[in-house]
Amino acid sequence: EVQLVESGGGLVQPGGSLRLSCAASGFTFKDSIMIWARQASGKGLEWVSSITGGGLTVYLNAVKGRFTISRDNAKSMLYLQLNSLKPEDTAMYYCAIWTGNMATVQLRGQGTQVTVSS
């Protein structure tokens, strides 16, 4: 059974930083393209960043230069470093296995809440 457990969220002031973690199990992590997605209150799920098994990365323009996705295949862990946070980054953040399009991505974890506010 696929399991994804997100952690690391919290309340942070604008300009602050957080590091999100995702513990993965139940599938071949090193062979899977992984993503971070987020959902703000009252809005749809938004793709944020992707990383291949070999470490190639892609970012949403709105977070490029501020967020960094990374992974540790030996530990089956996915990370998202969030720097220079803005109020508009406030959302529930999820990790997921990339399926080819957001319509078919399945959220297996509970997510981790990031709130950016002064």
Side-chain angles (χ1 to χ4, degrees):
E1 179 189 0
V2 172
Q3 290 193 329
L4 298 167
V5 180
E6 301 94 342
S7 62
L11 172 63
V12 63
Q13 293 186 341
S17 297
L18 286 171
R19 189 193 194 205
L20 308 185
S21 298
C22 170
S25 62
F27 64 102
T28 308
F29 180 79
K30 66 180 179 66
D31 293 336
S32 300
I33 298 174
M34 298 298 296
I35 71 167
W36 284 99
R38 64 187 181 185
Q39 187 165 26
S41 180
K43 296 189 177 181
L45 189 65
E46 178 181 50
W47 169 84
V48 173
S49 182
S50 300
I51 185 168
T52 67
L56 296 176
T57 60
V58 186
Y59 296 94
L60 179 71
N61 281 342
V63 308
K64 201 174 294 183
R66 300 188 298 120
F67 291 8
T68 303
I69 191 171
S70 62
R71 64 194 294 162
D72 184 333
N73 287 337
K75 296 180 180 179
S76 295
M77 292 292 296
L78 180 71
Y79 304 101
L80 187 68
Q81 178 69 39
L82 290 67
N83 296 331
S84 303
L85 281 161
K86 304 176 180 180
E88 53 262 42
D89 295 318
T90 295
M92 186 73 77
Y93 283 72
Y94 300 91
C95 63
I97 303 169
W98 180 240
T99 57
N101 65 80
M102 285 301 292
T104 57
V105 164
Q106 293 188 332
L107 301 180
R108 304 278 189 169
Q110 80 288 351
T112 186
Q113 177 69 40
V114 172
T115 302
V116 185
S117 175
S118 54

